[in-house]
Amino acid sequence: DNKTLLEWAVEDNETACSFEVEKSTDGQNYSLAAIVFGNDQPEKANYSFFEKVNNQKTLYRIKLVNKDKTALYSPVVEIIPAV
């Protein structure tokens, strides 16, 4: 069973409402893989997400949704499972 693990840290955590993990196989069309909720702590926080994957390349990005409803996207990460 192949699994993908994404881990990220947030410095200014108190403004974060949620993190939407999005994935794509073509880099154009992204779908929601999970929502990870912020923990409302003012200090730095660490977050993670994992899922089973098949044997194809998958692209991931994280959409940070702030409490004021503004959003920022992370850089795209490409995962190519070992065969």
Side-chain angles (χ1 to χ4, degrees):
D1 290 336
N2 288 332
K3 293 185 176 83
T4 293
L5 172 64
L6 302 178
E7 297 178 308
W8 65 97
V10 178
E11 294 289 333
D12 189 12
N13 189 54
E14 65 187 282
T15 63
C17 179
S18 64
F19 304 90
E20 296 179 4
V21 181
E22 300 179 343
K23 66 181 183 178
S24 172
T25 56
D26 63 8
Q28 300 295 316
N29 301 296
Y30 283 83
S31 62
L32 184 65
I35 297 176
V36 178
F37 292 97
N39 66 14
D40 287 332
Q41 300 299 314
E43 66 273 356
K44 179 180 176 179
N46 297 305
Y47 296 93
S48 63
F49 160 80
F50 78 94
E51 71 174 350
K52 283 185 174 182
V53 295
N54 54 26
N55 290 330
Q56 69 181 28
K57 173 184 80 172
T58 305
L59 302 151
Y60 291 92
R61 67 184 182 189
I62 298 169
K63 178 181 176 183
L64 162 62
V65 180
N66 288 303
K67 291 178 182 173
D68 66 2
K69 304 299 180 203
T70 58
L72 299 169
Y73 283 92
S74 72
V76 173
V77 176
E78 181 178 311
I79 305 294
I80 301 173
V83 178

